[in-house]
Amino acid sequence: MSERLAPGDTAPDFTLPDADGKPVSLADHRGRKVIVYFYPAALTPGCTKQACDFTDNLDVLASAGYDVIGVSPDKPEKLAKFREKESLKVTLVADPDKAVLTSYGAFGEKKLYGKTVTGVIRSTVIVDESGKVAHAFYNVKATGHVAKLLKDLSI
């Protein structure tokens, strides 16, 4: 089981390919707050709802100083399909070896329909301008999460 992050921890740096195969680094966002959210799979109902909610609120989040990066174990090609099909504006990055998911505590044992399975734990980590964890939310719900986040962050 990977360790969960807590406020004050240094956010693990990463560079992952986006839907177009271009590298996206957390370090490139220093000086801005970043919402890094982890989701199980592109093109599934819950993950689609969550990505669409982030896209719908991107302008509000950006004007409050937040960038948004979605991380899943999907390959860039699948992320590109997801982006096109749903008209997503959120930056989506691929972590097929799950190293970043694990380093953020977003991969491990979870309950799914009453069974214990190993997989992606739907999570959101807010990274501040200096690269420290400001908030870490684990086992979040896909539906309503962005609205709750806006409230929790007083946006």
Side-chain angles (χ1 to χ4, degrees):
M1 181 81 183
S2 50
E3 284 293 311
R4 292 188 168 182
L5 297 177
D9 289 348
T10 298
D13 227 336
F14 62 81
T15 301
L16 293 170
D18 69 7
D20 300 314
K22 295 189 188 91
V24 172
S25 295
L26 184 61
D28 295 342
H29 295 267
R30 284 289 182 279
R32 286 188 57 83
K33 295 173 273 198
V34 186
I35 297 170
V36 185
Y37 80 97
F38 300 90
Y39 63 99
L43 300 166
T44 58
C47 297
T48 297
K49 173 80 179 112
Q50 191 176 18
C52 288
D53 284 352
F54 271 117
T55 292
D56 293 346
N57 288 284
L58 209 51
D59 291 343
V60 174
L61 290 163
S63 62
Y66 290 89
D67 294 335
V68 180
I69 301 172
V71 182
S72 78
D74 298 308
K75 294 199 169 6
E77 303 77 36
K78 187 173 180 190
L79 297 179
K81 272 191 206 133
F82 188 33
R83 182 185 62 198
E84 302 315 313
K85 182 175 187 283
E86 303 297 337
S87 304
L88 300 175
K89 295 189 174 29
V90 179
T91 300
L92 301 174
V93 297
D95 184 23
D97 66 4
K98 303 173 188 75
V100 174
L101 284 153
T102 301
S103 70
Y104 274 78
F107 188 82
E109 281 191 359
K110 64 179 185 173
K111 291 267 189 237
L112 190 65
Y113 306 114
K115 289 192 173 94
T116 300
V117 297
T118 299
V120 175
I121 299 162
R122 193 181 300 276
S123 312
T124 300
V125 176
I126 314 296
V127 181
D128 71 14
E129 299 89 340
S130 65
K132 297 271 188 218
V133 173
H135 302 278
F137 305 98
Y138 291 94
N139 296 308
V140 301
K141 301 271 179 258
T143 304
H145 176 59
V146 175
K148 184 179 179 329
L149 207 53
L150 291 169
K151 193 170 158 240
D152 289 349
L153 298 174
S154 306
I155 297 174

